[in-house]
Amino acid sequence: MVRRKPLVVVTRKLPDSVETRMRELFDAKLNVDDVPMDQAALVEAVKTADVLVPTVTDRIDSAVLSQAGENLRLIASFSNGVDHIDVSSALNRGITVTNTPGVLTEDTADMTMALILAVPRRLAEGAQVMISDKEEWPGWSPTWMLGRRIWGKRLGIIGMGRIGQAVARRAKAFGLQIHYHNRRRLPSGIEEMLDATYWDSLDQMLARMDIVSVNCPHTPATYHLLSARRLKLLKSDAYVVNTARGEVIDENALTRQLEAGEIAGAGLDVFEHEPAVNPKLVRLARQGKVVLLPHLGSATLEGRVDMGEKVIVNIKTFMDGHRPPDRVLPAML
């Protein structure tokens, strides 16, 4: 008797090599047109699939999961974060959840470092001058387009997991002084390697930093972790960089302080209400106070292929009757 291949529903277009391998191993239903699924389409998917492969743009909440069919036993998310999935509801229904940790670390850290450089040195603003039809480059001048030096400045990293540590390694090479706040203090050996100073009080760290980098996941505990009150603690010449999740920062409060000149600038790759971007942030970007990127932190071909391979390993391991290597539990969130 030929064993039936599991029906795997993939919600978005993935790299061709990943999709091809999925078709070889599973009965894979692909989204080749890459049209985002609305809630009705997600409900239809969970009703029929053995395995669902969502991405960060798909909200797999309790309302969707309540209509899942009996065959759905695995949600293998094509993502590092799982804040788009109601993990507790899934587990209560006997559905295992997996993610793709580790493979995005270096790419996201690269993008974080790029923003740490871009905002104080006004890179996006300068690049725009070179291609603008309205403004012609006047040539080199001793006082034109002056930014701020980053060498010797204090970088405060919020969230010192894999990505936070990768950011610290890069920043140390650029001469930044490394400070961090984390749920748990790092082992002394890692602190010594990074020359990192630990702050158990986020408030105290924020008040002393020149640049703040957000590298923690979005969880109920980190929602608006950088609240209006905490943003007020920042120095007026400080910069904020976020390549984690937009919900970690009170975006309206950040915008108000940028408009008032109470914060020097920001580099944002993620937004609180993606894909919507606050029009005031767009205006600030045109003024050169903010650098905005369209969630490019992990957007490399190599990274996406590595993510897909992790998804496949998780599905194959689960279907073979074993515990998938990247299983997500509520205690981890």
Side-chain angles (χ1 to χ4, degrees):
M1 178 177 169
V2 178
R3 184 181 177 186
R4 181 180 74 87
K5 290 182 177 181
L7 174 60
V8 177
V9 177
V10 184
T11 66
R12 298 297 297 268
K13 176 79 177 75
L14 303 182
D16 287 346
S17 61
V18 174
E19 292 184 336
T20 300
R21 188 61 178 147
M22 284 188 169
R23 290 297 299 269
E24 291 172 347
L25 293 171
F26 318 121
D27 179 12
K29 184 177 180 181
L30 306 176
N31 185 352
V32 293
D33 295 325
D34 202 28
V35 177
M37 289 186 174
D38 58 17
Q39 187 180 43
L42 290 172
V43 167
E44 185 60 31
V46 300
K47 283 181 176 179
T48 58
D50 298 304
V51 179
L52 181 71
V53 179
T55 70
V56 294
T57 63
D58 304 303
R59 186 165 180 77
I60 315 300
D61 56 18
S62 58
V64 171
L65 290 169
S66 67
Q67 301 187 64
E70 293 183 0
N71 289 335
L72 183 64
R73 287 291 172 262
L74 176 65
I75 298 175
S77 190
F78 185 87
S79 65
N80 183 34
V82 291
D83 49 302
H84 57 296
I85 302 171
D86 188 332
V87 176
S88 295
S89 291
L91 296 183
N92 288 337
R93 297 184 64 86
I95 301 169
T96 298
V97 178
T98 62
N99 64 342
T100 60
V103 296
L104 312 179
T105 300
E106 303 304 329
D107 294 330
T108 306
D110 284 346
M111 188 59 74
T112 304
M113 196 65 220
L115 285 171
I116 289 172
L117 289 165
V119 180
R121 294 302 305 272
R122 305 173 68 179
L123 298 190
E125 191 179 355
Q128 189 59 39
V129 169
M130 302 303 291
I131 61 173
S132 174
D133 294 329
K134 300 178 181 179
E135 184 178 4
E136 184 175 342
W137 179 40
W140 182 87
S141 165
T143 57
W144 185 72
M145 208 70 165
L146 297 181
R148 298 297 298 272
R149 175 185 295 165
I150 68 163
W151 184 90
K153 297 297 192 296
R154 293 186 176 93
L155 171 67
I157 298 174
I158 302 175
M160 203 63 150
R162 295 186 186 94
I163 295 173
Q165 291 177 45
V167 170
R169 291 195 299 271
R170 287 159 173 75
K172 181 184 176 185
F174 277 84
L176 286 152
Q177 298 177 41
I178 309 302
H179 296 251
Y180 77 98
H181 171 79
N182 201 47
R183 283 191 301 175
R184 300 180 186 87
R185 185 168 184 170
L186 296 176
S188 58
I190 297 177
E191 280 191 353
E192 291 174 8
M193 179 184 67
L194 297 174
D195 289 334
T197 300
Y198 172 69
W199 294 84
D200 59 356
S201 168
L202 176 57
D203 288 6
Q204 291 184 20
M205 184 183 82
L206 291 174
R208 294 164 170 82
M209 295 301 107
D210 301 300
I211 304 168
V212 172
S213 177
V214 178
N215 299 105
C216 62
H218 171 224
T219 68
T222 63
Y223 175 75
H224 281 191
L225 184 66
L226 284 188
S227 61
R229 180 189 67 79
R230 284 199 169 113
L231 289 168
K232 287 285 187 182
L233 299 174
L234 293 171
K235 300 189 298 181
S236 61
D237 58 355
Y239 300 91
V240 176
V241 169
N242 188 6
T243 56
R245 285 290 187 269
E247 294 89 342
V248 178
I249 300 179
D250 183 336
E251 195 170 274
N252 284 329
L254 175 67
T255 303
R256 287 194 299 270
Q257 286 192 239
L258 287 164
E259 288 178 323
E262 296 170 353
I263 299 175
L268 306 175
D269 186 44
V270 290
F271 306 92
E272 189 169 352
H273 304 290
E274 289 186 30
V277 179
N278 189 323
K280 293 181 179 179
L281 282 177
V282 175
R283 185 167 64 248
L284 287 165
R286 292 186 177 126
Q287 295 171 3
K289 292 184 178 181
V290 179
V291 175
L292 305 178
L293 296 177
H295 206 145
L296 294 177
S298 61
T300 67
L301 177 59
E302 296 88 346
R304 295 289 188 251
V305 170
D306 288 346
M307 290 170 71
E309 290 175 352
K310 268 194 171 280
V311 169
I312 290 170
V313 168
N314 282 318
I315 298 173
K316 190 73 170 61
T317 304
F318 182 84
M319 289 301 169
D320 287 344
H322 304 293
R323 179 181 296 177
D326 301 309
R327 186 173 63 152
V328 177
L329 298 174
M332 301 164 58
L333 303 178

